Amino acid sequence: MNRNKSYGIFTSFLVLLTGSTLALMSYNIYILTAGVLFSFVYGFVNYKKQLLPVIKFSAWVVLGFVLSQAFFYWGFYSGQKTYIILWVIKPHYNLLVDFLTEGKGIAITYQGIIWGIISSAKLLITLFLAFSFSKRLNPKIVLNALKKIHVPPLIALGAAMTFRLLPEMAEMSKTLYSVSRIRKPKKLSRITMPYTFLKALIYNSVKKAFVASLALETKGLPDFTFDCEEIKRPDAGAADLLFFVILAFLIALNFIIF
């Protein structure tokens, strides 16, 4: 691996590390929104249409996060002061609900919606940046690095395959979505589609993992002497450093605000 590739991977990892730090530390909805925007721009500039399946998948994740927190916000059940937008089931109306919620009922709260948005933003920052980094990383690099610190071969191989998991999942999601659009099952509605899609994604992932394990048992461990196809990005290092500075500024701004 030449010096330019090493430098590009290092700067890409630096962006991922900084963005993950921002997602971990910040709870400011405005700073996190800015982080999501810059993370999306970073992934789109580097990989353009390849980021589309990740965006579609993340939309369902965000919807699930916001809805779950809107209906079941932890602060509401722990006794914190919350603003109730709408009562779904009021207290002392249903015995089972009262038993499960300790007599508090189920309500859509403003704080729950905000918390869902914040949680989603944290996930999206990490998701977009991790996708970009994993697309750029060659498994051979991971194996060589782990080999130098004497990590067992099986563990090293698992780590290398993990770094390539996100792009594979994104491509699989794109295929499943395209097939569902073409076939259009009669029983598939907009309500059941996310569940059916996720179930198919899990089944296919397990199948791929099973086939990979059989291949490793029969053929042995790969040596990864090949180089994975890499998308050439002009001035990738300079762009990475620019996004690193932006994300680092957001971290500093988070400290100033708080």
Side-chain angles (χ1 to χ4, degrees):
M1 181 179 62
N2 57 43
R3 183 175 297 179
N4 291 334
K5 285 186 179 181
S6 300
Y7 179 71
I9 292 169
F10 173 75
T11 54
S12 181
F13 176 73
L14 197 61
V15 172
L16 172 60
L17 181 62
T18 310
S20 301
T21 303
L22 173 66
L24 180 65
M25 296 176 56
S26 180
Y27 289 89
N28 185 289
I29 189 171
Y30 301 106
I31 291 179
L32 288 173
T33 301
V36 172
L37 177 61
F38 286 117
S39 300
F40 167 76
V41 172
Y42 176 77
F44 183 79
V45 167
N46 291 334
Y47 301 105
K48 296 181 174 60
K49 292 184 177 180
Q50 294 190 39
L51 191 65
L52 187 59
V54 181
I55 297 173
K56 292 180 178 179
F57 173 75
S58 63
W60 290 109
V61 174
V62 170
L63 181 62
F65 268 58
V66 174
L67 288 179
S68 64
Q69 291 301 313
F71 283 90
F72 303 102
Y73 175 52
W74 62 271
F76 173 73
Y77 296 103
S78 63
Q80 294 186 11
K81 185 178 180 180
T82 55
Y83 176 75
I84 298 174
I85 298 175
L86 177 68
W87 278 105
V88 179
I89 300 178
K90 291 186 177 182
H92 313 302
Y93 183 80
N94 185 286
L95 292 177
L96 179 60
V97 173
D98 286 341
F99 173 76
L100 295 175
T101 63
E102 296 182 353
K104 293 183 173 61
I106 300 175
I108 299 177
T109 62
Y110 170 78
Q111 288 80 3
I113 294 175
I114 296 299
W115 185 257
I117 295 173
I118 290 174
S119 302
S120 301
K122 288 173 173 287
L123 174 67
L124 292 184
I125 291 173
T126 308
L127 183 64
F128 290 144
L129 296 180
F131 175 81
S132 300
F133 177 70
S134 61
K135 285 288 288 185
R136 186 167 177 78
L137 190 63
N138 190 321
K140 181 181 177 182
I141 300 170
V142 181
L143 287 176
N144 288 339
L146 295 177
K147 184 178 179 181
K148 290 180 180 179
I149 57 176
H150 305 290
V151 174
L154 286 177
I155 298 179
L157 178 61
M161 294 177 68
T162 301
F163 276 108
R164 300 298 298 179
L165 177 63
L166 189 56
E168 180 69 18
M169 294 287 287
E171 187 64 28
M172 192 187 306
S173 303
K174 182 179 178 181
T175 302
L176 291 173
Y177 180 77
S178 300
V179 171
S180 66
R181 295 273 295 182
I182 295 173
R183 294 184 176 179
K184 295 182 180 179
K186 295 181 180 180
K187 296 182 179 180
L188 188 64
S189 64
R190 290 184 178 274
I191 298 177
T192 59
M193 182 179 176
Y195 168 75
T196 305
F197 180 83
L198 183 60
K199 183 171 68 172
L201 183 63
I202 293 174
Y203 284 165
N204 279 273
S205 300
V206 173
K207 181 180 177 181
K208 279 186 173 290
F210 179 70
V211 172
S213 64
L214 287 179
L216 291 175
E217 289 178 2
T218 55
K219 297 182 179 180
L221 298 180
D223 56 5
F224 285 102
T225 55
F226 59 89
D227 287 328
C228 292
E229 182 180 356
E230 181 180 352
I231 297 176
K232 296 181 179 179
R233 300 184 300 162
D235 301 326
D240 288 347
L241 290 177
L242 174 62
F243 281 99
F244 163 72
V245 171
I246 293 173
L247 293 172
F249 171 75
L250 291 177
I251 293 176
L253 186 62
N254 183 75
F255 279 108
I256 294 174
I257 292 177
F258 285 95

